[in-house]
Amino acid sequence: MSRGTALTEAVHGTRYKPWVYTPDFLFELVNGQTVFVEGKHSRWLRSNPEFSRLAAAMEQLGHRLTLVTEKTFTRADHRNLRILRALPNRSLEPAIRELIETQFPRSVSFGEAQRSFGLTRAEVYAGLFQGLLATDFSRAPFSDRTKLLRVDGDVSHLEVLPL
């Protein structure tokens, strides 16, 4: 029997209307706790005020729900993530990968990576995806001054959200 069918049968003859809810994500925190994460636009939340009861209902069941809206992220996050999301090719030529791994200083600006090493913006962005380079996406929109750190296959900078 499906959850929907079981729920419908459980409330049959009552004034309740069944509603099956599935959060967008389930995060496991470093400390072992779990958090359900739901993404909604603030405009949608204003037009659906009954949704606010969901967090309280989940808390009564012993679960934590974090609501993420467009306001959760900085203007820099929005711009930088939009750029990275639109990147058509996230792969690097082996020679470019080796250049970053062997010739880049530990810290280099976005502009310096382009001027001194001849990298394109797409190659720098691909280096971020592949864990060769890291930066703080929320600090400022990508510019020539953006600091890039050379990292060895670490993609944890892509896993940090301001939650």
Side-chain angles (χ1 to χ4, degrees):
M1 175 182 315
S2 75
R3 285 186 296 168
T5 304
L7 186 57
T8 300
E9 287 181 12
V11 297
H12 183 73
T14 69
R15 61 186 172 112
Y16 295 104
K17 179 180 174 188
W19 180 45
V20 176
Y21 169 69
T22 305
D24 293 329
F25 300 99
L26 175 61
F27 288 175
E28 183 173 337
L29 305 180
V30 175
N31 66 9
Q33 292 180 325
T34 57
V35 178
F36 290 97
V37 177
E38 179 68 34
K40 294 288 184 204
H41 197 280
S42 57
R43 192 173 332 126
W44 185 90
L45 291 169
R46 282 191 301 277
S47 63
N48 295 277
E50 70 281 357
F51 188 81
S52 65
R53 297 189 315 240
L54 181 64
M58 287 187 70
E59 188 175 335
Q60 288 177 353
L61 295 170
H63 301 292
R64 179 174 157 203
L65 176 70
T66 296
L67 189 59
V68 176
T69 70
E70 75 285 357
K71 296 175 182 176
T72 302
F73 301 99
T74 65
R75 186 173 277 158
D77 283 326
H78 281 277
R79 184 170 181 274
N80 292 337
L81 295 174
R82 198 174 313 121
I83 288 168
L84 293 175
R85 184 174 149 218
L87 187 62
N89 183 0
R90 296 179 182 172
S91 62
L92 282 173
E93 295 292 325
I96 299 297
R97 182 179 185 88
E98 184 178 342
L99 172 80
I100 294 171
E101 291 174 332
T102 61
Q103 296 181 34
F104 261 46
R106 248 316 154 202
S107 177
V108 64
S109 72
F110 193 69
E112 184 74 17
Q114 293 176 78
R115 286 186 304 275
S116 297
F117 298 97
L119 295 184
T120 65
R121 283 183 172 263
E123 289 168 337
V124 172
Y125 297 150
L128 289 164
F129 272 111
Q130 293 187 17
L132 300 174
L133 301 170
T135 192
D136 180 354
F137 293 110
S138 63
R139 186 162 283 203
F142 287 129
S143 72
D144 283 353
R145 295 183 309 234
T146 299
K147 282 292 176 203
L148 302 171
L149 301 175
R150 184 171 45 90
V151 293
D152 300 318
D154 179 13
V155 292
S156 62
H157 66 282
L158 297 173
E159 301 169 359
V160 176
L161 297 174
L163 302 177

